[in-house]
Amino acid sequence: AIQMTQSPSSLSASVGDRVTITCRASQGIRTDLGWYQQKPGKAPKLLIYAASSLQSGVPSRFSGSGSGTDFTLTISSLQPEDFATYYCLQDYNYPWTFGQGTKVEIK
Amino acid sequence: EVQLVESGGGLVQPGGSLRLSCAASGFTVSSNYMSWVRQAPGKGLEWVSVIYSGGSTYYADSVKGRFTISRDNSKNTLYLQMNSLRAEDTAVYYCARARPVGYSYGLDYWGQGTLVTVSS
């Protein structure tokens, strides 16, 4: 199975900060990767699909990049509602695998 | 409006069985790829299974041979039959629609989740 390594596992940031989360795949996955946001007690929400495509309704401060093994989720200006846990998911082959998550906390 | 509503979770003894349901509205389950994802208490997300519109199915290694994904087209409902349950299957189970985009997918709609607890 493809392993997805996310970093950092947690970070503290302030409103307005630029935040970058990375995900590294144990083998090349083209651009077959999505990013999800999850708030406590809620279902995950799709932010980015196919590595860099913004899901409808998601604010433009979220962006994704990368291909092959290295991927990045960037929040250009962190807003109060962005404090959550973020996960990457590779859907290149089965079994699909999530990264371990990155918790974004208020500094 | 697209909506997914899971049901069927609960407390079950180790070795027991449970069937989860995911009732869809606003779209047709049989025309879409549908997936199950779970989350153990305090842990991260784990992909469990997917069923293609054509009927092909795939599973995580941790559930292969024990879980079966299926659907009832007449009820527009997705199922997850879980047999030989173990304590490590304790989790909130989410159903989600997997929308293919090129070679990739996006899990674009999710249910609210249903809690399965495996304990004696």
Side-chain angles (χ1 to χ4, degrees), chain A residues 74-100:
Chain A
T74 299
I75 309 172
S76 59
S77 177
L78 198 65
Q79 297 302 301
E81 59 268 30
D82 301 337
F83 291 97
T85 301
Y86 294 83
Y87 296 90
C88 62
L89 169 66
Q90 71 80 18
D91 53 53
Y92 174 74
N93 66 10
Y94 294 107
W96 293 353
T97 44
F98 284 95
Q100 78 275 19

PDB file of all heavy atoms in Angstrom, chain A residues 74-100:
ATOM      1  N   THR A  74      -1.867  24.915   0.645  1.00  0.00           N
ATOM      2  CA  THR A  74      -1.536  26.247   1.165  1.00  0.00           C
ATOM      3  C   THR A  74      -2.817  26.996   1.484  1.00  0.00           C
ATOM      4  O   THR A  74      -3.765  26.996   0.698  1.00  0.00           O
ATOM      5  CB  THR A  74      -0.712  27.044   0.141  1.00  0.00           C
ATOM      6  OG1 THR A  74       0.515  26.349  -0.119  1.00  0.00           O
ATOM      7  CG2 THR A  74      -0.385  28.435   0.675  1.00  0.00           C
ATOM      8  N   ILE A  75      -2.815  27.609   2.657  1.00  0.00           N
ATOM      9  CA  ILE A  75      -3.877  28.555   3.032  1.00  0.00           C
ATOM     10  C   ILE A  75      -3.206  29.921   3.034  1.00  0.00           C
ATOM     11  O   ILE A  75      -2.296  30.167   3.841  1.00  0.00           O
ATOM     12  CB  ILE A  75      -4.477  28.230   4.406  1.00  0.00           C
ATOM     13  CG1 ILE A  75      -4.892  26.751   4.479  1.00  0.00           C
ATOM     14  CG2 ILE A  75      -5.684  29.126   4.678  1.00  0.00           C
ATOM     15  CD1 ILE A  75      -5.314  26.292   5.863  1.00  0.00           C
ATOM     16  N   SER A  76      -3.621  30.790   2.145  1.00  0.00           N
ATOM     17  CA  SER A  76      -2.864  32.022   1.922  1.00  0.00           C
ATOM     18  C   SER A  76      -3.000  33.012   3.080  1.00  0.00           C
ATOM     19  O   SER A  76      -2.052  33.729   3.403  1.00  0.00           O
ATOM     20  CB  SER A  76      -3.310  32.694   0.624  1.00  0.00           C
ATOM     21  OG  SER A  76      -4.703  33.005   0.687  1.00  0.00           O
ATOM     22  N   SER A  77      -4.166  33.050   3.701  1.00  0.00           N
ATOM     23  CA  SER A  77      -4.390  33.951   4.827  1.00  0.00           C
ATOM     24  C   SER A  77      -5.376  33.261   5.767  1.00  0.00           C
ATOM     25  O   SER A  77      -6.583  33.246   5.512  1.00  0.00           O
ATOM     26  CB  SER A  77      -4.943  35.298   4.346  1.00  0.00           C
ATOM     27  OG  SER A  77      -5.219  36.155   5.453  1.00  0.00           O
ATOM     28  N   LEU A  78      -4.841  32.686   6.824  1.00  0.00           N
ATOM     29  CA  LEU A  78      -5.634  31.844   7.721  1.00  0.00           C
ATOM     30  C   LEU A  78      -6.783  32.631   8.354  1.00  0.00           C
ATOM     31  O   LEU A  78      -6.578  33.752   8.868  1.00  0.00           O
ATOM     32  CB  LEU A  78      -4.717  31.272   8.800  1.00  0.00           C
ATOM     33  CG  LEU A  78      -5.210  30.059   9.580  1.00  0.00           C
ATOM     34  CD1 LEU A  78      -5.348  28.843   8.670  1.00  0.00           C
ATOM     35  CD2 LEU A  78      -4.247  29.764  10.722  1.00  0.00           C
ATOM     36  N   GLN A  79      -7.961  32.060   8.295  1.00  0.00           N
ATOM     37  CA  GLN A  79      -9.150  32.676   8.882  1.00  0.00           C
ATOM     38  C   GLN A  79      -9.603  31.884  10.104  1.00  0.00           C
ATOM     39  O   GLN A  79      -9.248  30.700  10.240  1.00  0.00           O
ATOM     40  CB  GLN A  79     -10.268  32.738   7.839  1.00  0.00           C
ATOM     41  CG  GLN A  79      -9.927  33.610   6.646  1.00  0.00           C
ATOM     42  CD  GLN A  79      -9.604  35.036   7.053  1.00  0.00           C
ATOM     43  OE1 GLN A  79     -10.424  35.732   7.663  1.00  0.00           O
ATOM     44  NE2 GLN A  79      -8.386  35.476   6.731  1.00  0.00           N
ATOM     45  N   PRO A  80     -10.374  32.480  10.992  1.00  0.00           N
ATOM     46  CA  PRO A  80     -10.787  31.769  12.216  1.00  0.00           C
ATOM     47  C   PRO A  80     -11.478  30.434  11.933  1.00  0.00           C
ATOM     48  O   PRO A  80     -11.300  29.481  12.689  1.00  0.00           O
ATOM     49  CB  PRO A  80     -11.751  32.762  12.873  1.00  0.00           C
ATOM     50  CG  PRO A  80     -11.303  34.089  12.395  1.00  0.00           C
ATOM     51  CD  PRO A  80     -10.821  33.870  10.978  1.00  0.00           C
ATOM     52  N   GLU A  81     -12.229  30.369  10.846  1.00  0.00           N
ATOM     53  CA  GLU A  81     -12.958  29.136  10.531  1.00  0.00           C
ATOM     54  C   GLU A  81     -12.063  28.043   9.934  1.00  0.00           C
ATOM     55  O   GLU A  81     -12.531  26.926   9.687  1.00  0.00           O
ATOM     56  CB  GLU A  81     -14.121  29.425   9.575  1.00  0.00           C
ATOM     57  CG  GLU A  81     -13.727  30.038   8.245  1.00  0.00           C
ATOM     58  CD  GLU A  81     -13.750  31.564   8.267  1.00  0.00           C
ATOM     59  OE1 GLU A  81     -13.505  32.164   9.342  1.00  0.00           O
ATOM     60  OE2 GLU A  81     -14.004  32.143   7.178  1.00  0.00           O
ATOM     61  N   ASP A  82     -10.777  28.355   9.723  1.00  0.00           N
ATOM     62  CA  ASP A  82      -9.856  27.375   9.128  1.00  0.00           C
ATOM     63  C   ASP A  82      -9.157  26.506  10.167  1.00  0.00           C
ATOM     64  O   ASP A  82      -8.417  25.591   9.797  1.00  0.00           O
ATOM     65  CB  ASP A  82      -8.799  28.084   8.274  1.00  0.00           C
ATOM     66  CG  ASP A  82      -9.399  28.898   7.148  1.00  0.00           C
ATOM     67  OD1 ASP A  82     -10.544  28.593   6.739  1.00  0.00           O
ATOM     68  OD2 ASP A  82      -8.729  29.843   6.683  1.00  0.00           O
ATOM     69  N   PHE A  83      -9.361  26.790  11.434  1.00  0.00           N
ATOM     70  CA  PHE A  83      -8.734  25.974  12.460  1.00  0.00           C
ATOM     71  C   PHE A  83      -9.444  24.625  12.498  1.00  0.00           C
ATOM     72  O   PHE A  83     -10.631  24.528  12.815  1.00  0.00           O
ATOM     73  CB  PHE A  83      -8.753  26.698  13.805  1.00  0.00           C
ATOM     74  CG  PHE A  83      -7.845  27.897  13.796  1.00  0.00           C
ATOM     75  CD1 PHE A  83      -8.362  29.168  13.544  1.00  0.00           C
ATOM     76  CD2 PHE A  83      -6.486  27.762  14.000  1.00  0.00           C
ATOM     77  CE1 PHE A  83      -7.521  30.276  13.507  1.00  0.00           C
ATOM     78  CE2 PHE A  83      -5.637  28.865  13.970  1.00  0.00           C
ATOM     79  CZ  PHE A  83      -6.160  30.127  13.714  1.00  0.00           C
ATOM     80  N   ALA A  84      -8.697  23.592  12.126  1.00  0.00           N
ATOM     81  CA  ALA A  84      -9.271  22.277  11.869  1.00  0.00           C
ATOM     82  C   ALA A  84      -8.121  21.307  11.646  1.00  0.00           C
ATOM     83  O   ALA A  84      -6.943  21.672  11.755  1.00  0.00           O
ATOM     84  CB  ALA A  84     -10.163  22.326  10.625  1.00  0.00           C
ATOM     85  N   THR A  85      -8.470  20.067  11.327  1.00  0.00           N
ATOM     86  CA  THR A  85      -7.473  19.073  10.944  1.00  0.00           C
ATOM     87  C   THR A  85      -7.585  18.819   9.443  1.00  0.00           C
ATOM     88  O   THR A  85      -8.707  18.716   8.923  1.00  0.00           O
ATOM     89  CB  THR A  85      -7.661  17.775  11.735  1.00  0.00           C
ATOM     90  OG1 THR A  85      -7.546  18.060  13.136  1.00  0.00           O
ATOM     91  CG2 THR A  85      -6.598  16.745  11.358  1.00  0.00           C
ATOM     92  N   TYR A  86      -6.447  18.722   8.793  1.00  0.00           N
ATOM     93  CA  TYR A  86      -6.399  18.556   7.346  1.00  0.00           C
ATOM     94  C   TYR A  86      -5.757  17.216   7.000  1.00  0.00           C
ATOM     95  O   TYR A  86      -4.770  16.811   7.615  1.00  0.00           O
ATOM     96  CB  TYR A  86      -5.611  19.709   6.713  1.00  0.00           C
ATOM     97  CG  TYR A  86      -6.315  21.024   6.894  1.00  0.00           C
ATOM     98  CD1 TYR A  86      -6.176  21.753   8.068  1.00  0.00           C
ATOM     99  CD2 TYR A  86      -7.170  21.514   5.911  1.00  0.00           C
ATOM    100  CE1 TYR A  86      -6.860  22.943   8.258  1.00  0.00           C
ATOM    101  CE2 TYR A  86      -7.853  22.707   6.080  1.00  0.00           C
ATOM    102  CZ  TYR A  86      -7.696  23.412   7.258  1.00  0.00           C
ATOM    103  OH  TYR A  86      -8.388  24.584   7.452  1.00  0.00           O
ATOM    104  N   TYR A  87      -6.336  16.556   6.004  1.00  0.00           N
ATOM    105  CA  TYR A  87      -5.851  15.251   5.569  1.00  0.00           C
ATOM    106  C   TYR A  87      -5.658  15.242   4.049  1.00  0.00           C
ATOM    107  O   TYR A  87      -6.471  15.817   3.310  1.00  0.00           O
ATOM    108  CB  TYR A  87      -6.876  14.148   5.891  1.00  0.00           C
ATOM    109  CG  TYR A  87      -7.148  13.904   7.344  1.00  0.00           C
ATOM    110  CD1 TYR A  87      -8.160  14.590   8.012  1.00  0.00           C
ATOM    111  CD2 TYR A  87      -6.400  12.972   8.072  1.00  0.00           C
ATOM    112  CE1 TYR A  87      -8.425  14.354   9.352  1.00  0.00           C
ATOM    113  CE2 TYR A  87      -6.660  12.737   9.410  1.00  0.00           C
ATOM    114  CZ  TYR A  87      -7.677  13.440  10.036  1.00  0.00           C
ATOM    115  OH  TYR A  87      -7.923  13.205  11.371  1.00  0.00           O
ATOM    116  N   CYS A  88      -4.606  14.553   3.624  1.00  0.00           N
ATOM    117  CA  CYS A  88      -4.494  14.244   2.204  1.00  0.00           C
ATOM    118  C   CYS A  88      -4.968  12.811   1.980  1.00  0.00           C
ATOM    119  O   CYS A  88      -4.951  11.991   2.909  1.00  0.00           O
ATOM    120  CB  CYS A  88      -3.068  14.428   1.698  1.00  0.00           C
ATOM    121  SG  CYS A  88      -1.827  13.358   2.478  1.00  0.00           S
ATOM    122  N   LEU A  89      -5.405  12.525   0.767  1.00  0.00           N
ATOM    123  CA  LEU A  89      -5.864  11.178   0.403  1.00  0.00           C
ATOM    124  C   LEU A  89      -5.391  10.868  -1.009  1.00  0.00           C
ATOM    125  O   LEU A  89      -5.687  11.625  -1.940  1.00  0.00           O
ATOM    126  CB  LEU A  89      -7.390  11.097   0.450  1.00  0.00           C
ATOM    127  CG  LEU A  89      -8.018   9.829  -0.160  1.00  0.00           C
ATOM    128  CD1 LEU A  89      -7.641   8.592   0.663  1.00  0.00           C
ATOM    129  CD2 LEU A  89      -9.548   9.963  -0.244  1.00  0.00           C
ATOM    130  N   GLN A  90      -4.635   9.770  -1.150  1.00  0.00           N
ATOM    131  CA  GLN A  90      -4.233   9.355  -2.489  1.00  0.00           C
ATOM    132  C   GLN A  90      -5.264   8.373  -3.032  1.00  0.00           C
ATOM    133  O   GLN A  90      -5.685   7.455  -2.337  1.00  0.00           O
ATOM    134  CB  GLN A  90      -2.817   8.752  -2.499  1.00  0.00           C
ATOM    135  CG  GLN A  90      -2.654   7.383  -1.863  1.00  0.00           C
ATOM    136  CD  GLN A  90      -3.080   6.209  -2.756  1.00  0.00           C
ATOM    137  OE1 GLN A  90      -3.204   6.341  -3.971  1.00  0.00           O
ATOM    138  NE2 GLN A  90      -3.307   5.042  -2.145  1.00  0.00           N
ATOM    139  N   ASP A  91      -5.683   8.602  -4.269  1.00  0.00           N
ATOM    140  CA  ASP A  91      -6.609   7.684  -4.927  1.00  0.00           C
ATOM    141  C   ASP A  91      -5.990   7.166  -6.218  1.00  0.00           C
ATOM    142  O   ASP A  91      -6.698   6.885  -7.184  1.00  0.00           O
ATOM    143  CB  ASP A  91      -7.964   8.343  -5.168  1.00  0.00           C
ATOM    144  CG  ASP A  91      -7.866   9.672  -5.896  1.00  0.00           C
ATOM    145  OD1 ASP A  91      -7.234   9.723  -6.973  1.00  0.00           O
ATOM    146  OD2 ASP A  91      -8.408  10.664  -5.392  1.00  0.00           O
ATOM    147  N   TYR A  92      -4.676   7.037  -6.226  1.00  0.00           N
ATOM    148  CA  TYR A  92      -3.960   6.537  -7.405  1.00  0.00           C
ATOM    149  C   TYR A  92      -4.185   5.048  -7.590  1.00  0.00           C
ATOM    150  O   TYR A  92      -4.380   4.565  -8.704  1.00  0.00           O
ATOM    151  CB  TYR A  92      -2.472   6.840  -7.254  1.00  0.00           C
ATOM    152  CG  TYR A  92      -1.593   6.252  -8.320  1.00  0.00           C
ATOM    153  CD1 TYR A  92      -1.578   6.790  -9.592  1.00  0.00           C
ATOM    154  CD2 TYR A  92      -0.758   5.170  -8.043  1.00  0.00           C
ATOM    155  CE1 TYR A  92      -0.763   6.267 -10.579  1.00  0.00           C
ATOM    156  CE2 TYR A  92       0.056   4.637  -9.020  1.00  0.00           C
ATOM    157  CZ  TYR A  92       0.060   5.193 -10.286  1.00  0.00           C
ATOM    158  OH  TYR A  92       0.864   4.667 -11.259  1.00  0.00           O
ATOM    159  N   ASN A  93      -4.089   4.299  -6.462  1.00  0.00           N
ATOM    160  CA  ASN A  93      -4.406   2.886  -6.559  1.00  0.00           C
ATOM    161  C   ASN A  93      -4.960   2.401  -5.226  1.00  0.00           C
ATOM    162  O   ASN A  93      -4.958   3.132  -4.225  1.00  0.00           O
ATOM    163  CB  ASN A  93      -3.216   2.051  -7.023  1.00  0.00           C
ATOM    164  CG  ASN A  93      -2.077   2.016  -6.033  1.00  0.00           C
ATOM    165  OD1 ASN A  93      -2.211   2.453  -4.893  1.00  0.00           O
ATOM    166  ND2 ASN A  93      -0.950   1.472  -6.445  1.00  0.00           N
ATOM    167  N   TYR A  94      -5.460   1.165  -5.244  1.00  0.00           N
ATOM    168  CA  TYR A  94      -6.083   0.625  -4.046  1.00  0.00           C
ATOM    169  C   TYR A  94      -5.067  -0.164  -3.217  1.00  0.00           C
ATOM    170  O   TYR A  94      -4.218  -0.845  -3.768  1.00  0.00           O
ATOM    171  CB  TYR A  94      -7.271  -0.265  -4.428  1.00  0.00           C
ATOM    172  CG  TYR A  94      -8.383   0.522  -5.062  1.00  0.00           C
ATOM    173  CD1 TYR A  94      -8.648   0.430  -6.429  1.00  0.00           C
ATOM    174  CD2 TYR A  94      -9.156   1.399  -4.300  1.00  0.00           C
ATOM    175  CE1 TYR A  94      -9.643   1.187  -7.012  1.00  0.00           C
ATOM    176  CE2 TYR A  94     -10.149   2.160  -4.883  1.00  0.00           C
ATOM    177  CZ  TYR A  94     -10.380   2.047  -6.233  1.00  0.00           C
ATOM    178  OH  TYR A  94     -11.376   2.805  -6.811  1.00  0.00           O
ATOM    179  N   PRO A  95      -5.158  -0.081  -1.898  1.00  0.00           N
ATOM    180  CA  PRO A  95      -6.139   0.693  -1.145  1.00  0.00           C
ATOM    181  C   PRO A  95      -5.815   2.184  -1.119  1.00  0.00           C
ATOM    182  O   PRO A  95      -4.650   2.573  -1.013  1.00  0.00           O
ATOM    183  CB  PRO A  95      -6.023   0.119   0.268  1.00  0.00           C
ATOM    184  CG  PRO A  95      -4.595  -0.317   0.355  1.00  0.00           C
ATOM    185  CD  PRO A  95      -4.223  -0.806  -1.006  1.00  0.00           C
ATOM    186  N   TRP A  96      -6.838   3.021  -1.256  1.00  0.00           N
ATOM    187  CA  TRP A  96      -6.637   4.435  -1.057  1.00  0.00           C
ATOM    188  C   TRP A  96      -6.104   4.654   0.367  1.00  0.00           C
ATOM    189  O   TRP A  96      -6.476   3.916   1.288  1.00  0.00           O
ATOM    190  CB  TRP A  96      -7.949   5.194  -1.221  1.00  0.00           C
ATOM    191  CG  TRP A  96      -8.498   5.174  -2.618  1.00  0.00           C
ATOM    192  CD1 TRP A  96      -7.898   4.678  -3.749  1.00  0.00           C
ATOM    193  CD2 TRP A  96      -9.764   5.683  -3.028  1.00  0.00           C
ATOM    194  NE1 TRP A  96      -8.732   4.852  -4.833  1.00  0.00           N
ATOM    195  CE2 TRP A  96      -9.873   5.475  -4.430  1.00  0.00           C
ATOM    196  CE3 TRP A  96     -10.826   6.309  -2.359  1.00  0.00           C
ATOM    197  CZ2 TRP A  96     -10.990   5.860  -5.165  1.00  0.00           C
ATOM    198  CZ3 TRP A  96     -11.944   6.692  -3.085  1.00  0.00           C
ATOM    199  CH2 TRP A  96     -12.017   6.471  -4.481  1.00  0.00           C
ATOM    200  N   THR A  97      -5.251   5.646   0.539  1.00  0.00           N
ATOM    201  CA  THR A  97      -4.665   5.887   1.843  1.00  0.00           C
ATOM    202  C   THR A  97      -4.631   7.375   2.180  1.00  0.00           C
ATOM    203  O   THR A  97      -4.291   8.210   1.339  1.00  0.00           O
ATOM    204  CB  THR A  97      -3.246   5.298   1.929  1.00  0.00           C
ATOM    205  OG1 THR A  97      -2.523   5.612   0.728  1.00  0.00           O
ATOM    206  CG2 THR A  97      -3.284   3.790   2.107  1.00  0.00           C
ATOM    207  N   PHE A  98      -4.971   7.651   3.416  1.00  0.00           N
ATOM    208  CA  PHE A  98      -4.930   9.007   3.955  1.00  0.00           C
ATOM    209  C   PHE A  98      -3.577   9.271   4.607  1.00  0.00           C
ATOM    210  O   PHE A  98      -2.937   8.347   5.133  1.00  0.00           O
ATOM    211  CB  PHE A  98      -6.003   9.193   5.031  1.00  0.00           C
ATOM    212  CG  PHE A  98      -7.404   9.358   4.512  1.00  0.00           C
ATOM    213  CD1 PHE A  98      -8.254   8.253   4.411  1.00  0.00           C
ATOM    214  CD2 PHE A  98      -7.900  10.613   4.163  1.00  0.00           C
ATOM    215  CE1 PHE A  98      -9.559   8.405   3.963  1.00  0.00           C
ATOM    216  CE2 PHE A  98      -9.203  10.769   3.720  1.00  0.00           C
ATOM    217  CZ  PHE A  98     -10.031   9.661   3.604  1.00  0.00           C
ATOM    218  N   GLY A  99      -3.197  10.540   4.616  1.00  0.00           N
ATOM    219  CA  GLY A  99      -2.134  10.956   5.498  1.00  0.00           C
ATOM    220  C   GLY A  99      -2.633  10.939   6.937  1.00  0.00           C
ATOM    221  O   GLY A  99      -3.845  10.804   7.186  1.00  0.00           O
ATOM    222  N   GLN A 100      -1.727  11.109   7.878  1.00  0.00           N
ATOM    223  CA  GLN A 100      -2.101  10.982   9.292  1.00  0.00           C
ATOM    224  C   GLN A 100      -2.788  12.220   9.847  1.00  0.00           C
ATOM    225  O   GLN A 100      -3.297  12.190  10.959  1.00  0.00           O
ATOM    226  CB  GLN A 100      -0.870  10.643  10.141  1.00  0.00           C
ATOM    227  CG  GLN A 100       0.038  11.816  10.444  1.00  0.00           C
ATOM    228  CD  GLN A 100       1.041  12.094   9.343  1.00  0.00           C
ATOM    229  OE1 GLN A 100       0.882  11.675   8.192  1.00  0.00           O
ATOM    230  NE2 GLN A 100       2.100  12.794   9.701  1.00  0.00           N
TER     231      GLN A 100
END
